[in-house]
Amino acid sequence: MRNITQRRAITFFILLSSVFAWPARLHSPAVASADTRAAEDRGVAGLGQALKRLGTIASALHTGAHPDDEDSGLLAYLARGRQARTAYLSLTRGDGGQNLIGPELYEPLGVIRTEELLAARRIDGAQQFFSRAFDFGFSKSPQEAFAKWDREAVLSDMVRVIRTFRPLVIISAWTGTPLDGHGHHQASGILTPEAYRAAADPSRFPEQIKEGLRPWQAKKLYVRVPLRQELPKGQEPPQSMLTINDGQFDALLGRSYYEIAAQGRSQHRSQDQGALERRGPQYSRLRLVESSSGQPQAEPKAEKDIYENIDVQLTGIADFAGSATAQLRTALADVQQAADEAMAKFNPLAPATLTPIIARGLHRLRALDARLPTLQLSDAEQYETHFLLKQKEADFSDALARSQGILVDCLADDELVTPGQTFAVSIQAYTDAGAPVRSATLNLPHGWSAQAQKENAAITDGRLAAQRDFNVTVAADAEATEAYWLKNPRKGDMFVPGTGGTGIEPVAPPVVSATVEFEIAGEPVIITQPAQFRFADKALGEIRRELKVAPALSVAVSPPLLVYPQSSKPVKREINVIVSNNQKDGARGAVSLRKIKDWQFTPAEAAFDLKREGEQQSFTFTVTASAGAMDSRHIVAVARTADGREYRDGYQRIVYPHIESRLIARRAQTEALSFDVKVAQGLRVGYIEGAGDDFANALRRMDVDVRVIDSRELTSGDLSKYDVIVTGLRVYEVRPDVIANNSRLLDYAKQGGTLIVQYNKNEIAAGNFTPYPVKMKQGMPDRVTDETAAVTMLDSSSPLFNFPNKITEADFAGWVQERGTYFFSEWDAQYKPLLASHDPNEEEKRGGELIAQVGKGYYIYTGYAWFRQLPMGVPGAYRLIANLVSFPKSNAARGAAR
């Protein structure tokens, strides 16, 4: 376990030092593989999977509240083992979670977790859906979730997913009871059966019917059975439940479905979800709670299969055809025979021998679909039958292409293009068996244009069947690429999607894609491939990134937040502005800060001259707040080019090794906060970085001298030079060097230092890393999630509430998301609790901030959520942490040290 932790920590620090920046271009070294397809989808393994899929119409939708709620083993079993059309619906994108691998929180974290889900789905084989609900953080009741979310809108999204995906079975991860813990979990468990019923009712959400969707009645609704340890003491799991062994070994894939699932699970890196790929039996347990057959569900009979009493063979499509069932079943039997024959004759060393068999089945499917209008089906019967036939047509087309070893590339010569720019795109079609290419076209947004270039006359690669080259010109008014659900401001805790999706789709469609049509054994097969930029990293090899659009110029400012302590004199701060050129041509102009009355800006403006793509210039402005300033301001940077165009936006780059890179649009803006805050003079603060938080930067905003303590200094340096040492979030989880040198930190306190430890998970209590014994509840630690909950100062005379700032009730106003998390539940008498708070209808929690004298110094544990308050500029949080780090300079601390 320790080795795993060490590797995780090493990865984290490499990423933290290199991933997050505001680069001029995106062609810098990246950390991602060239081909993100799972091994199970490549070569003959992929063909074998495709062949198994031909003969089934099985489908399943799994629901949960967050990324990583899903039963990964069940998804892999269904998608990879049963070859069912499988999807996971997460109500939120996980925006309110914590982040183990970097500093992003809120919407940027939601982008990361969206991509982590897509990375997991690529491995376990399922699809992904969402709702418009924003993850506002940990909740203890479904009532709070429904108070913050638009319940009907979330239910509408769930119904939209069901009516779009049309699953035969739906599986809820949560029961909708207090057993689920998190209020979002309970809300998901409550809404899933409502959506199951509402999707079948044409009177519910009729606007979806007008759009072209149709009601859908899933055959069964299951709920995950909690593990024995999750049940109340003495309660046993129900006897009448379905037990599925996700640990079954698949000889074609070379591992079990659970092993595949664990690899997918490990893509949730931001949430500390790395998992062992265990071999042997691993179980998912489900309970049937509703059925369209009307079977009583109070005590349902034990089942042996999730599709029991449902015909999921290809011929089962006929069950949706009403009076034409018998006629359709006969026709489908021929298609089923082709599917069975292809599977029986599968030879991994000669895949092309299957081509005529698969083509025969595809031809009969298409002919049958064309005959549907003549079968006198009702509108609903024709819709359902056509839907399933098109699903199978896609499966047969996929298998047919795989039998020919077909691959398509759509390669752009740039990753980040700008309005009006012309760039090159090459479509390359490969096949092992000589399937001819009928056409190769580009799919472009409105206003874009493509000029075909001369086709390659000489093709030297024997697999290359065709190559089409184009010069593509971006529309002059092209929209910048960003997450479609972030294009508009949120309405409370609900996203308002922009163009590119309705809210249920993970991401918008690719900006540019290629469509290549092959002719295989007389059947047309269409392959679509998104445009990608490909480059060679000298250390990592081939890297691919999706094509993106950005403005010609990007403007970024740092820091994003300035603090101006109240003063009788003007207070100066510096802002750095970076202007980056994203276009092929150069750009000239001037950058300035938008003026604020009574504030001074030096210089008034600065000229930039960017001659080439990727070039950037950095400028430092001094911003002086007037004496006595006591209000907040937004300082916006503006770049004006010689032709009078203005640019006020930059981009935050999201790049991690396991996910597709993304850009998040950011206004080039700094928030300037003016409020009354003081810090003891002459403080020397050492900071040990953890899992990413803003504590050290917040101190620097108040002019505190903060030095980062690296591993070498932690191991052998002179720690006594610091008045106070602060540890970052979850250091005992991500920093093995902190564990190794914990005794040095405690000795530092014993010799007169003040050690402040921010929140950690149970590792801190279980590992006995505190100076005196403490306990933390397992599973559901003490926390206060209501950011408006009253906070009581248990010792109002403590310097922590009086020096150098007088803390009052007002300092706990305006907090965001929560008060705190991972409080101690029990502690030694040597500790003195400092603050108390609690959520509604709960007992007071005093374990969120404690102080203990250790030798000549002090140890302070604080589980209050500074990592959320400080980046958001909550004034009271700044005043409270100013007192925390100033404590060594207080009379009480100096007296103890003597």
CSV table of all heavy atoms in Angstrom, one decimal, residues 612-651:
chain,number,residue,atom,x,y,z
A,612,ARG,N,5.1,36.1,-34.4
A,612,ARG,CA,4.9,34.7,-34.9
A,612,ARG,C,3.9,34.0,-34.0
A,612,ARG,O,3.6,34.4,-32.9
A,612,ARG,CB,6.2,33.9,-34.9
A,612,ARG,CG,6.8,33.8,-33.5
A,612,ARG,CD,8.2,33.1,-33.7
A,612,ARG,NE,9.1,34.0,-34.4
A,612,ARG,CZ,9.8,35.0,-33.8
A,612,ARG,NH1,9.7,35.3,-32.6
A,612,ARG,NH2,10.6,35.7,-34.6
A,613,GLU,N,3.3,32.9,-34.5
A,613,GLU,CA,2.4,32.1,-33.8
A,613,GLU,C,3.1,31.5,-32.6
A,613,GLU,O,4.2,31.0,-32.6
A,613,GLU,CB,1.9,30.9,-34.7
A,613,GLU,CG,1.0,30.0,-34.0
A,613,GLU,CD,0.6,28.8,-34.9
A,613,GLU,OE1,1.3,28.5,-35.9
A,613,GLU,OE2,-0.4,28.1,-34.6
A,614,GLY,N,2.3,31.6,-31.5
A,614,GLY,CA,2.9,31.0,-30.2
A,614,GLY,C,3.7,32.0,-29.4
A,614,GLY,O,4.0,31.7,-28.2
A,615,GLU,N,4.0,33.1,-30.0
A,615,GLU,CA,4.8,34.1,-29.2
A,615,GLU,C,3.9,34.8,-28.2
A,615,GLU,O,2.7,35.0,-28.4
A,615,GLU,CB,5.4,35.1,-30.1
A,615,GLU,CG,6.3,36.1,-29.5
A,615,GLU,CD,7.0,37.0,-30.4
A,615,GLU,OE1,6.8,36.9,-31.7
A,615,GLU,OE2,7.8,37.9,-30.0
A,616,GLN,N,4.5,35.2,-27.1
A,616,GLN,CA,3.7,35.9,-26.0
A,616,GLN,C,4.6,36.9,-25.4
A,616,GLN,O,5.8,36.8,-25.4
A,616,GLN,CB,3.2,34.9,-25.0
A,616,GLN,CG,4.3,34.2,-24.2
A,616,GLN,CD,3.7,33.2,-23.1
A,616,GLN,OE1,2.6,32.7,-23.3
A,616,GLN,NE2,4.5,33.0,-22.1
A,617,GLN,N,4.0,37.9,-24.8
A,617,GLN,CA,4.7,39.0,-24.1
A,617,GLN,C,4.0,39.2,-22.7
A,617,GLN,O,2.8,39.0,-22.6
A,617,GLN,CB,4.7,40.3,-24.9
A,617,GLN,CG,5.7,40.3,-26.0
A,617,GLN,CD,5.7,41.6,-26.7
A,617,GLN,OE1,5.1,41.9,-27.7
A,617,GLN,NE2,6.5,42.6,-26.2
A,618,SER,N,4.8,39.4,-21.8
A,618,SER,CA,4.3,39.6,-20.4
A,618,SER,C,4.6,41.0,-19.9
A,618,SER,O,5.7,41.6,-20.2
A,618,SER,CB,5.0,38.6,-19.5
A,618,SER,OG,4.6,38.7,-18.1
A,619,PHE,N,3.6,41.6,-19.2
A,619,PHE,CA,3.7,42.9,-18.7
A,619,PHE,C,3.3,43.0,-17.3
A,619,PHE,O,2.4,42.3,-16.9
A,619,PHE,CB,2.8,43.9,-19.6
A,619,PHE,CG,3.1,43.8,-21.0
A,619,PHE,CD1,2.3,43.0,-21.8
A,619,PHE,CD2,4.1,44.5,-21.6
A,619,PHE,CE1,2.5,42.9,-23.2
A,619,PHE,CE2,4.3,44.5,-23.0
A,619,PHE,CZ,3.5,43.6,-23.8
A,620,THR,N,4.0,43.8,-16.5
A,620,THR,CA,3.7,44.0,-15.1
A,620,THR,C,3.1,45.4,-14.9
A,620,THR,O,3.7,46.4,-15.3
A,620,THR,CB,4.9,43.8,-14.2
A,620,THR,OG1,5.4,42.5,-14.4
A,620,THR,CG2,4.6,44.0,-12.7
A,621,PHE,N,1.9,45.4,-14.3
A,621,PHE,CA,1.3,46.7,-13.9
A,621,PHE,C,1.2,46.8,-12.4
A,621,PHE,O,0.9,45.8,-11.7
A,621,PHE,CB,-0.2,46.7,-14.5
A,621,PHE,CG,-0.2,46.8,-16.0
A,621,PHE,CD1,-0.1,45.6,-16.8
A,621,PHE,CD2,-0.4,48.0,-16.6
A,621,PHE,CE1,-0.2,45.7,-18.2
A,621,PHE,CE2,-0.5,48.1,-18.0
A,621,PHE,CZ,-0.4,46.9,-18.8
A,622,THR,N,1.4,48.0,-12.0
A,622,THR,CA,1.2,48.3,-10.5
A,622,THR,C,-0.1,48.9,-10.4
A,622,THR,O,-0.5,49.9,-11.0
A,622,THR,CB,2.3,49.2,-10.0
A,622,THR,OG1,3.6,48.6,-10.2
A,622,THR,CG2,2.1,49.6,-8.5
A,623,VAL,N,-0.9,48.3,-9.5
A,623,VAL,CA,-2.3,48.8,-9.2
A,623,VAL,C,-2.3,49.3,-7.8
A,623,VAL,O,-2.1,48.5,-6.8
A,623,VAL,CB,-3.3,47.7,-9.4
A,623,VAL,CG1,-4.7,48.3,-9.2
A,623,VAL,CG2,-3.2,47.2,-10.9
A,624,THR,N,-2.6,50.6,-7.6
A,624,THR,CA,-2.6,51.2,-6.3
A,624,THR,C,-4.0,51.6,-5.9
A,624,THR,O,-4.7,52.4,-6.5
A,624,THR,CB,-1.7,52.5,-6.3
A,624,THR,OG1,-0.4,52.1,-6.7
A,624,THR,CG2,-1.6,53.1,-4.9
A,625,ALA,N,-4.4,51.0,-4.7
A,625,ALA,CA,-5.7,51.3,-4.2
A,625,ALA,C,-5.6,52.6,-3.4
A,625,ALA,O,-4.6,52.8,-2.7
A,625,ALA,CB,-6.3,50.2,-3.4
A,626,SER,N,-6.6,53.4,-3.4
A,626,SER,CA,-6.6,54.7,-2.7
A,626,SER,C,-6.6,54.4,-1.2
A,626,SER,O,-7.1,53.3,-0.7
A,626,SER,CB,-7.8,55.5,-3.1
A,626,SER,OG,-9.0,54.8,-2.9
A,627,ALA,N,-6.2,55.3,-0.4
A,627,ALA,CA,-6.2,55.2,1.0
A,627,ALA,C,-7.6,55.0,1.5
A,627,ALA,O,-8.5,55.6,1.1
A,627,ALA,CB,-5.6,56.4,1.7
A,628,GLY,N,-7.8,54.0,2.4
A,628,GLY,CA,-9.1,53.7,3.0
A,628,GLY,C,-10.0,53.0,2.1
A,628,GLY,O,-11.2,52.8,2.5
A,629,ALA,N,-9.5,52.4,1.0
A,629,ALA,CA,-10.4,51.7,0.1
A,629,ALA,C,-11.0,50.5,0.9
A,629,ALA,O,-10.3,49.7,1.5
A,629,ALA,CB,-9.6,51.2,-1.1
A,630,MET,N,-12.3,50.3,0.7
A,630,MET,CA,-13.0,49.2,1.4
A,630,MET,C,-14.1,48.5,0.6
A,630,MET,O,-15.1,48.1,1.1
A,630,MET,CB,-13.6,49.8,2.7
A,630,MET,CG,-12.7,50.0,3.9
A,630,MET,SD,-12.1,48.4,4.5
A,630,MET,CE,-13.5,47.8,5.3
A,631,ASP,N,-13.8,48.4,-0.7
A,631,ASP,CA,-14.8,47.7,-1.5
A,631,ASP,C,-14.1,46.8,-2.5
A,631,ASP,O,-12.9,46.9,-2.7
A,631,ASP,CB,-15.7,48.7,-2.2
A,631,ASP,CG,-15.0,49.7,-3.1
A,631,ASP,OD1,-13.7,49.7,-3.0
A,631,ASP,OD2,-15.6,50.5,-3.8
A,632,SER,N,-14.8,46.0,-3.1
A,632,SER,CA,-14.2,45.0,-4.1
A,632,SER,C,-14.3,45.6,-5.5
A,632,SER,O,-15.3,46.2,-5.8
A,632,SER,CB,-14.9,43.7,-4.0
A,632,SER,OG,-14.7,43.1,-2.7
A,633,ARG,N,-13.3,45.3,-6.3
A,633,ARG,CA,-13.3,45.7,-7.7
A,633,ARG,C,-12.9,44.6,-8.6
A,633,ARG,O,-12.2,43.7,-8.2
A,633,ARG,CB,-12.2,46.9,-7.8
A,633,ARG,CG,-12.5,48.1,-6.9
A,633,ARG,CD,-13.7,48.9,-7.3
A,633,ARG,NE,-13.9,50.0,-6.5
A,633,ARG,CZ,-14.1,51.3,-7.0
A,633,ARG,NH1,-14.3,51.4,-8.3
A,633,ARG,NH2,-14.3,52.3,-6.2
A,634,HIS,N,-13.3,44.7,-9.8
A,634,HIS,CA,-12.9,43.8,-10.9
A,634,HIS,C,-11.9,44.6,-11.8
A,634,HIS,O,-12.3,45.6,-12.4
A,634,HIS,CB,-14.0,43.3,-11.7
A,634,HIS,CG,-15.0,42.4,-10.9
A,634,HIS,ND1,-14.6,41.3,-10.2
A,634,HIS,CD2,-16.3,42.6,-10.6
A,634,HIS,CE1,-15.6,40.7,-9.6
A,634,HIS,NE2,-16.7,41.5,-9.8
A,635,ILE,N,-10.7,44.1,-11.9
A,635,ILE,CA,-9.7,44.7,-12.8
A,635,ILE,C,-9.6,43.8,-14.0
A,635,ILE,O,-9.2,42.7,-14.0
A,635,ILE,CB,-8.3,44.8,-12.0
A,635,ILE,CG1,-8.5,45.6,-10.7
A,635,ILE,CG2,-7.3,45.4,-12.9
A,635,ILE,CD1,-7.3,45.6,-9.9
A,636,VAL,N,-9.9,44.4,-15.2
A,636,VAL,CA,-10.0,43.7,-16.4
A,636,VAL,C,-8.8,44.1,-17.3
A,636,VAL,O,-8.6,45.4,-17.5
A,636,VAL,CB,-11.3,43.8,-17.1
A,636,VAL,CG1,-11.3,43.1,-18.4
A,636,VAL,CG2,-12.4,43.4,-16.2
A,637,ALA,N,-8.1,43.2,-17.9
A,637,ALA,CA,-7.1,43.5,-18.9
A,637,ALA,C,-7.7,43.5,-20.3
A,637,ALA,O,-8.5,42.6,-20.6
A,637,ALA,CB,-5.9,42.5,-18.8
A,638,VAL,N,-7.3,44.5,-21.1
A,638,VAL,CA,-7.8,44.6,-22.5
A,638,VAL,C,-6.6,44.7,-23.4
A,638,VAL,O,-5.7,45.6,-23.2
A,638,VAL,CB,-8.7,45.8,-22.6
A,638,VAL,CG1,-9.2,45.9,-24.0
A,638,VAL,CG2,-9.9,45.7,-21.6
A,639,ALA,N,-6.6,43.9,-24.5
A,639,ALA,CA,-5.6,44.0,-25.5
A,639,ALA,C,-6.3,44.6,-26.8
A,639,ALA,O,-7.2,44.0,-27.2
A,639,ALA,CB,-4.9,42.7,-25.8
A,640,ARG,N,-5.7,45.7,-27.3
A,640,ARG,CA,-6.3,46.3,-28.5
A,640,ARG,C,-5.3,46.2,-29.6
A,640,ARG,O,-4.1,46.6,-29.4
A,640,ARG,CB,-6.7,47.8,-28.3
A,640,ARG,CG,-7.8,48.0,-27.2
A,640,ARG,CD,-8.1,49.5,-27.1
A,640,ARG,NE,-9.1,49.7,-26.1
A,640,ARG,CZ,-8.9,49.8,-24.8
A,640,ARG,NH1,-7.7,49.7,-24.3
A,640,ARG,NH2,-9.9,50.0,-24.0
A,641,THR,N,-5.7,45.7,-30.7
A,641,THR,CA,-4.8,45.6,-31.9
A,641,THR,C,-4.8,46.9,-32.7
A,641,THR,O,-5.7,47.7,-32.5
A,641,THR,CB,-5.1,44.4,-32.8
A,641,THR,OG1,-6.5,44.5,-33.2
A,641,THR,CG2,-5.0,43.1,-32.0
A,642,ALA,N,-3.9,46.9,-33.6
A,642,ALA,CA,-3.8,48.2,-34.4
A,642,ALA,C,-5.0,48.4,-35.2
A,642,ALA,O,-5.3,49.6,-35.5
A,642,ALA,CB,-2.6,48.0,-35.4
A,643,ASP,N,-5.8,47.4,-35.6
A,643,ASP,CA,-7.0,47.6,-36.3
A,643,ASP,C,-8.2,47.8,-35.4
A,643,ASP,O,-9.4,47.8,-35.9
A,643,ASP,CB,-7.3,46.4,-37.3
A,643,ASP,CG,-7.5,45.1,-36.5
A,643,ASP,OD1,-7.4,45.1,-35.2
A,643,ASP,OD2,-7.6,44.0,-37.1
A,644,GLY,N,-8.0,48.0,-34.1
A,644,GLY,CA,-9.1,48.4,-33.2
A,644,GLY,C,-9.8,47.2,-32.6
A,644,GLY,O,-10.7,47.5,-31.8
A,645,ARG,N,-9.4,46.0,-32.8
A,645,ARG,CA,-10.1,44.8,-32.2
A,645,ARG,C,-9.7,44.7,-30.8
A,645,ARG,O,-8.5,44.9,-30.4
A,645,ARG,CB,-9.9,43.6,-33.0
A,645,ARG,CG,-10.4,43.6,-34.4
A,645,ARG,CD,-10.5,42.2,-35.0
A,645,ARG,NE,-11.5,41.4,-34.3
A,645,ARG,CZ,-11.8,40.2,-34.6
A,645,ARG,NH1,-11.2,39.6,-35.6
A,645,ARG,NH2,-12.7,39.5,-33.9
A,646,GLU,N,-10.6,44.3,-29.9
A,646,GLU,CA,-10.3,44.1,-28.5
A,646,GLU,C,-10.4,42.7,-28.1
A,646,GLU,O,-11.3,42.0,-28.6
A,646,GLU,CB,-11.3,45.0,-27.6
A,646,GLU,CG,-11.0,46.5,-27.7
A,646,GLU,CD,-11.8,47.2,-26.7
A,646,GLU,OE1,-12.7,46.6,-26.0
A,646,GLU,OE2,-11.6,48.4,-26.5
A,647,TYR,N,-9.5,42.3,-27.2
A,647,TYR,CA,-9.5,40.9,-26.7
A,647,TYR,C,-9.4,41.0,-25.1
A,647,TYR,O,-8.5,41.7,-24.6
A,647,TYR,CB,-8.3,40.1,-27.2
A,647,TYR,CG,-8.4,40.0,-28.7
A,647,TYR,CD1,-7.8,40.9,-29.6
A,647,TYR,CD2,-9.0,38.9,-29.3
A,647,TYR,CE1,-7.9,40.8,-31.0
A,647,TYR,CE2,-9.1,38.7,-30.7
A,647,TYR,CZ,-8.5,39.7,-31.5
A,647,TYR,OH,-8.6,39.5,-32.9
A,648,ARG,N,-10.3,40.3,-24.5
A,648,ARG,CA,-10.4,40.3,-23.0
A,648,ARG,C,-10.4,38.9,-22.4
A,648,ARG,O,-10.7,38.8,-21.2
A,648,ARG,CB,-11.6,41.1,-22.5
A,648,ARG,CG,-11.6,42.5,-23.1
A,648,ARG,CD,-12.8,43.3,-22.5
A,648,ARG,NE,-12.8,44.6,-23.1
A,648,ARG,CZ,-13.5,45.7,-22.6
A,648,ARG,NH1,-14.1,45.5,-21.4
A,648,ARG,NH2,-13.5,46.9,-23.2
A,649,ASP,N,-10.1,37.9,-23.1
A,649,ASP,CA,-10.3,36.5,-22.6
A,649,ASP,C,-9.0,35.8,-22.8
A,649,ASP,O,-8.2,36.0,-23.8
A,649,ASP,CB,-11.4,35.8,-23.4
A,649,ASP,CG,-12.8,36.4,-23.1
A,649,ASP,OD1,-13.1,36.5,-21.9
A,649,ASP,OD2,-13.4,36.9,-24.0
A,650,GLY,N,-8.8,34.8,-21.9
A,650,GLY,CA,-7.7,33.9,-22.0
A,650,GLY,C,-8.3,32.5,-21.8
A,650,GLY,O,-9.5,32.3,-21.7
A,651,TYR,N,-7.4,31.5,-21.6
A,651,TYR,CA,-7.8,30.2,-21.4
A,651,TYR,C,-7.0,29.5,-20.3
A,651,TYR,O,-5.8,29.6,-20.2
A,651,TYR,CB,-7.6,29.4,-22.8
A,651,TYR,CG,-8.7,29.7,-23.8
A,651,TYR,CD1,-8.5,30.8,-24.6
A,651,TYR,CD2,-9.9,29.0,-23.9
A,651,TYR,CE1,-9.4,31.2,-25.5
A,651,TYR,CE2,-10.8,29.4,-24.8
A,651,TYR,CZ,-10.6,30.5,-25.6
A,651,TYR,OH,-11.6,30.9,-26.5
